[in-house]
């Protein structure tokens, strides 16, 4: 057992166990304070980081934060650990690991090879020693490429989820929002709807509409209705047009039980989706959402700080080789991430930890209206995440989701990111935009002309 004690500023600090060190080393956030886990002072926080920096990485293989016998996520982490991949850094402390990650040896190939040898607790620990620029630097070096109807995660690319939610699931309203998003070049990651009415018949209708739209215009993307995974299984049993299998996940067995799932249900859904054979360039079809605070809100965090137990959710995601994963970073509310500063930090942490574990991480750059945050904070986060090589972001009409009642990114924001950073959509989707004459010779989105819109939607729809 390691000695979790140190002196700082003439004061002695002793920490009860590994999860206490991790919690006290975290940057300040409201969720940890709500749970009574946060450092009581800046001095204690610095002391915890000093202890953490000197801990061998191997210590995380010796002390489980949630017992192996009582938690299937812990068993997944332990049983799936690759000692051969870990050997490259097994001699390092957490502080030494930080230095190695920032060095030239830690290039894209090395980080890809290392990912199976890392546990979520290791990557959460090292993130607590890093500045924002460190998280961006290392995140940018990590590349995770996935495929279904197009190829997501290639270098120099930024994909988007087109989110055309509607407060009454009106098919015409959703179709209009989808068309609007496509005209801005969004939707290569997925066209995904959060249903206002979450039942199987409604999901079938929404999927039929989306699939008809996709086929009519031969769009090389994937569609998804973000219903519960058990609904997705039933939709597939009824012959529904399911591309991606969606589910929210968390970092403990108990928190996942709060979502009404376990690893067995996820495997059943994945197998059912694979049996449909709907992918054209690949078979990665799982789509997961996560977010700091989910386990705490379910009372299933086991005294673990919210960022560390969030990272454990990425081990769940990694086991199913997903096409997409995203953190809904500011969606859960100020009880967990109080203001723009905390939301920005959490978004960078989530992206860094997931990518280091080999997970294709995107982000819903968002906040709720009762948080101490605004759109300037979202401008900052989306800019930093794009610099960090985020896989995809979520875009909604006007940055205002009228069904979920929160603030995200707009279709217009994508134009800023692509023009500023030179990032492009998935290659198959980019070729489709060119085929549809929606971009100019420089690859920039054209301003749609009335003649083009009439040809796109047809005279009957235009007249309506």
């Amino acid at each position: 057992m390691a000695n979790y004690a140190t002196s700082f500023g003439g004061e002695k600090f002793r920490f009860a166990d590994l999860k206490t060190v991790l919690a006290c080393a975290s940057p300040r956030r409201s969720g940890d304070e709500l749970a009574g886990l946060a450092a009581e002072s800046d001095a204690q926080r610095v002391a915890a980081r000093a202890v953490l920096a000197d801990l061998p990485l191997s210590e995380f293989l010796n002390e489980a934060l949630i017992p192996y016998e009582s938690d299937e996520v812990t068993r997944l982490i332990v049983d799936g650990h690759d000692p051969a991949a870990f050997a490259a850094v097994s001699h390092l402390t957490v502080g030494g690991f930080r230095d190695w990650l920032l060095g030239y040896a830690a290039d894209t190939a090395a980080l890809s090879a290392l990912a199976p040898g890392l546990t979520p607790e290791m990557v959460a620990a090292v993130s607590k020693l890093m500045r924002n620029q460190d998280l961006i630097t290392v995140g940018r070096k990590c590349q995770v490429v996935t495929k279904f109807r197009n190829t997501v995660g290639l270098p120099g690319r930024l994909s988007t989820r087109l989110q055309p939610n509607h407060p009454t699931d009106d098919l015409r309203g959703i179709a209009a929002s989808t068309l609007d998003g496509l005209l801005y070049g969004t939707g290569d990651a997925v066209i995904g709807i959060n249903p206002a009415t979450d039942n199987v018949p409604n999901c079938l209708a929404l999927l039929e509409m989306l699939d008809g739209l996709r086929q009519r215009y031969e769009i090389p993307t994937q569609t998804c209705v973000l219903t519960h995974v058990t609904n997705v299984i039933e939709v597939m049993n009824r012959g529904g047009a399911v591309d991606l299998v969606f589910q929210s996940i968390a970092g403990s067995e108990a928190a996942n039980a709060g979502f009404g799932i376990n690893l067995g249900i996820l495997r059943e859904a994945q197998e059912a989706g694979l049996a449909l054979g709907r992918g054209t360039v690949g078979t990665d079809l799982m789509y997961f959402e996560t977010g700091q605070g989910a386990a705490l809100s379910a009372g299933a965090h086991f005294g673990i700080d919210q960022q560390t137990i969030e990272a454990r959710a990425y081990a769940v995601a990694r086991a199913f080789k997903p096409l997409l994963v995203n953190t809904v970073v500011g969606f859960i509310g100020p009880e967990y991430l109080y203001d723009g500063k905390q939301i920005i930090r959490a978004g960078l942490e989530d992206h860094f930890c997931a990518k280091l574990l080999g997970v294709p991480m995107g982000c819903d750059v968002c906040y709720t209206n009762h948080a101490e945050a605004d759109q300037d904070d979202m401008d900052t986060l989306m800019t930093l995440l794009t610099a960090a090589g985020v896989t995809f972001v979520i875009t909604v009409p006007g940055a205002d989701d009228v069904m979920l009642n929160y603030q995200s990114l707009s279709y217009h924001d994508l134009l800023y990111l692509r023009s500023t950073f030179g990032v492009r959509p998935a290659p198959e989707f980019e070729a489709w935009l060119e085929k549809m004459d929606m971009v100019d010779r420089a690859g920039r989105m054209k301003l749609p002309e009335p003649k083009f819109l009439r040809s796109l939607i047809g005279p009957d729809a235009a007249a309506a």
Side-chain angles (χ1 to χ4, degrees), residues 261-330:
I261 62 164
N262 56 43
L263 299 181
I265 290 173
L266 295 178
R267 290 190 192 97
E268 178 186 352
Q270 182 184 39
E271 291 169 2
L274 289 170
L276 298 179
R278 292 175 61 87
T280 56
V281 299
T283 58
D284 304 323
L285 53 76
M286 301 299 282
Y287 176 18
F288 296 117
E289 280 192 343
T290 70
Q292 290 192 30
L296 174 57
S297 67
H301 61 295
F302 296 92
I304 303 170
D305 70 272
Q306 68 181 37
Q307 189 251 334
T308 300
I309 200 160
E310 162 73 3
R312 284 169 55 96
Y314 310 152
V316 176
R318 179 171 63 177
F320 292 90
K321 203 175 181 295
L323 179 75
L324 306 169
V325 180
N326 71 258
T327 170
V328 285
V329 64

Side-chain angles (χ1 to χ4, degrees), residues 243-419:
D243 288 342
L244 304 187
V245 173
F246 170 81
Q247 182 54 48
S248 296
I249 57 173
S252 72
E253 180 178 346
N256 283 325
F259 285 135
I261 62 164
N262 56 43
L263 299 181
I265 290 173
L266 295 178
R267 290 190 192 97
E268 178 186 352
Q270 182 184 39
E271 291 169 2
L274 289 170
L276 298 179
R278 292 175 61 87
T280 56
V281 299
T283 58
D284 304 323
L285 53 76
M286 301 299 282
Y287 176 18
F288 296 117
E289 280 192 343
T290 70
Q292 290 192 30
L296 174 57
S297 67
H301 61 295
F302 296 92
I304 303 170
D305 70 272
Q306 68 181 37
Q307 189 251 334
T308 300
I309 200 160
E310 162 73 3
R312 284 169 55 96
Y314 310 152
V316 176
R318 179 171 63 177
F320 292 90
K321 203 175 181 295
L323 179 75
L324 306 169
V325 180
N326 71 258
T327 170
V328 285
V329 64
F331 182 75
I332 301 180
E335 300 84 359
Y336 307 99
L337 296 169
Y338 180 73
D339 56 15
K341 180 180 177 66
Q342 293 187 13
I343 292 171
I344 290 166
R345 173 70 189 191
L348 294 174
E349 287 171 348
D350 292 351
H351 176 259
F352 165 87
C353 289
K355 283 289 189 64
L356 203 52
L357 288 169
V359 172
M361 180 58 87
C363 185
D364 189 353
V365 178
C366 63
Y367 66 100
T368 57
N369 288 305
H370 62 309
E372 290 294 322
D374 58 28
Q375 209 64 40
D376 286 339
D377 296 313
M378 301 305 103
D379 285 353
T380 300
L381 181 53
M382 70 177 176
T383 301
L384 295 177
L385 283 170
T386 304
V390 71
T391 299
F392 72 103
V393 293
I394 291 178
T395 56
V396 307
D400 185 3
D401 191 303
V402 295
M403 194 282 282
L404 290 173
N405 197 28
Y406 78 116
Q407 308 302 309
S408 185
L409 301 185
S410 73
Y411 302 149
H412 304 74
D413 290 328
L414 176 63
L415 301 185
Y416 152 70
L417 294 171
R418 286 191 174 151
S419 65

Side-chain angles (χ1 to χ4, degrees), residues 46 77 80 139-140 154 174 194 214 228 244 328 333 342 385 431:
V46 172
I77 293 167
R140 187 172 182 83
L154 291 168
I174 290 171
N194 298 94
R214 179 189 64 79
H228 193 270
L244 304 187
V328 285
Q342 293 187 13
L385 283 170

Side-chain angles (χ1 to χ4, degrees), residues 114-331:
L114 177 62
L118 298 177
T119 69
E121 293 85 355
M122 292 177 191
V123 300
V126 75
S127 76
K128 298 175 193 296
L129 304 182
M130 300 182 110
R131 296 168 58 183
N132 286 0
Q133 68 171 255
D134 299 339
L135 300 175
I136 294 168
T137 298
V138 179
R140 187 172 182 83
K141 293 193 288 185
C142 299
Q143 292 175 10
V144 184
V145 179
T146 58
K147 299 181 179 183
F148 189 74
R149 284 202 190 90
N150 57 33
T151 307
V152 177
L154 291 168
R157 307 278 176 169
L158 173 65
S159 292
T160 50
R161 171 180 160 192
L162 197 171
Q163 182 170 295
N165 293 345
H166 193 280
T168 64
D169 288 336
D170 179 77
L171 295 182
R172 286 170 58 88
I174 290 171
S177 293
T178 301
L179 177 60
D180 187 22
L182 290 170
L183 292 172
Y184 283 96
T186 71
D188 54 327
V190 64
I191 303 174
I193 301 170
N194 298 94
T197 304
D198 193 6
N199 59 51
V200 170
N202 189 51
C203 291
L204 283 164
L206 291 170
L207 283 168
E208 181 181 4
M209 185 275 290
L210 286 180
D211 196 57
L213 180 72
R214 179 189 64 79
Q215 292 193 53
R216 176 180 178 182
Y217 297 111
E218 299 179 324
I219 310 171
T221 190
Q222 32 284 329
T223 62
C224 185
V225 173
L226 281 70
T227 185
H228 193 270
V229 68
T230 54
N231 284 344
V232 175
I233 292 171
E234 180 57 26
V235 167
M236 287 189 282
N237 289 338
R238 298 190 191 185
V242 174
D243 288 342
L244 304 187
V245 173
F246 170 81
Q247 182 54 48
S248 296
I249 57 173
S252 72
E253 180 178 346
N256 283 325
F259 285 135
I261 62 164
N262 56 43
L263 299 181
I265 290 173
L266 295 178
R267 290 190 192 97
E268 178 186 352
Q270 182 184 39
E271 291 169 2
L274 289 170
L276 298 179
R278 292 175 61 87
T280 56
V281 299
T283 58
D284 304 323
L285 53 76
M286 301 299 282
Y287 176 18
F288 296 117
E289 280 192 343
T290 70
Q292 290 192 30
L296 174 57
S297 67
H301 61 295
F302 296 92
I304 303 170
D305 70 272
Q306 68 181 37
Q307 189 251 334
T308 300
I309 200 160
E310 162 73 3
R312 284 169 55 96
Y314 310 152
V316 176
R318 179 171 63 177
F320 292 90
K321 203 175 181 295
L323 179 75
L324 306 169
V325 180
N326 71 258
T327 170
V328 285
V329 64
F331 182 75

